[in-house]
Amino acid sequence: MYSELLLDHFHHPRNVGEIAEATVVVEASNPVCGDLMKLWAVAGDGKIREVKFKVAGCVPAVACGSWLTEAILNKSIAELSALNPDEVNSGLGGLPPASHHAAHLAVEVLHRLLAEIARTAQAGLSSR
């Protein structure tokens, strides 16, 4: 049912937790299934320098959160805006059709993170 890679991310999730001095904290939820994903990140020099996550949800949601944190770490903000649910799905060796919502949740929380980083950067520029 689940790929070995997905199960590895579920059983041994990477980057779980919170960042006390995060630049940005965002969350997204799926109102249909109730999954909730939250990201803490430190952004600098146009990249994600540190990222952690927490998920309240199904096995695929935990795996997608774990995969997402590995995929975005030290990547440029510009390149991350193109990440899509199909890449999350393939990055985990495939999700069952009923679990594709987890990949969409991961991408939604990423887009919120990127938007908040952009908003924070813009606010910093306008306050100078």
Side-chain angles (χ1 to χ4, degrees), residues 19-102:
I19 301 172
E21 301 296 322
T23 307
V24 179
V25 180
V26 295
E27 69 180 46
S29 64
N30 181 327
V32 175
C33 68
D35 289 352
L36 173 71
M37 186 177 297
K38 193 167 183 177
L39 290 179
W40 288 258
V42 174
D45 300 323
K47 294 185 176 190
I48 303 296
R49 296 295 180 192
E50 185 179 0
V51 63
K52 296 209 180 261
F53 84 104
K54 284 188 176 179
V55 170
C58 61
V59 168
V62 172
C64 286
S66 175
W67 182 88
L68 179 69
T69 63
E70 285 195 324
I72 70 175
L73 192 59
N74 294 315
K75 297 283 188 344
S76 76
I77 305 300
E79 68 183 298
L80 292 176
S81 63
L83 190 84
N84 64 57
D86 289 337
E87 291 175 84
V88 177
N89 182 35
S90 64
L92 286 168
L95 292 165
S99 299
H100 283 214
H101 68 279

